[in-house]
Amino acid sequence: MALRTLIGAGLAAAIALASAPAAAAPVQSLNDADGRALILVPLTLTKIEDLDFGGVIPSSSSGIVTIDAATGARTFGGGATGVPGDAGNRAYFGGAGSPNQQVLVSLSPPTQLTSVGGDTITVLGLTLDGPPMRSIDPIARTFFVGVGGTLQIAADQPEGDYSADFWVTAIYQ
């Protein structure tokens, strides 16, 4: 019985020696390895300001009101006159993405604005403040879009608060 115990202890010692890790000298690579990471900014498009044509006074003849997409300035033609204290403003959107990424911006304008009473104003068109293809700023990682447009104010247009939705779409290239 004692012999078996010694053989078992010797076997355990041999297994312990065989499984001990060998100490290795550090070796440095002859070639440098590159580490890389690609970080992508979430693509966003956010409305900052609604398009607002402001207060308009109609007359017995039709007219137009225009908001400049680049400056937000409001102009009138024909029988429409602006209310000075309610000048309106252009719509303004901001987007974000990766530096220098190309973005195609498009508009889906409504054909008319509607009041709660069901009266309508014709939308002659909406415009962007520049070309539809934009480039995301390489430092700020943002881009901005102004939207203006032109409305046809009918002769003796009924009083009311007129509105409609429109869509701005950013297609990231």
Side-chain angles (χ1 to χ4, degrees), residues 62-150:
S62 67
I64 61 170
V65 57
T66 300
I67 297 286
D68 185 275
T71 66
R74 184 171 70 156
T75 57
F76 296 91
T81 305
V83 175
D86 187 10
N89 51 267
R90 68 182 177 163
Y92 203 56
F93 296 83
S98 297
N100 298 314
Q101 186 174 18
Q102 297 295 301
V103 180
L104 179 62
V105 179
S106 66
L107 287 171
S108 298
T111 57
Q112 61 188 15
L113 306 181
T114 306
S115 72
V116 174
D119 297 309
T120 61
I121 293 176
T122 301
V123 176
L124 296 178
L126 296 184
T127 57
L128 295 173
D129 63 351
M133 187 60 76
R134 308 294 171 110
S135 183
I136 295 177
D137 183 271
I139 296 171
R141 297 180 180 195
T142 58
F143 71 98
F144 295 94
V145 177
V147 177
T150 303

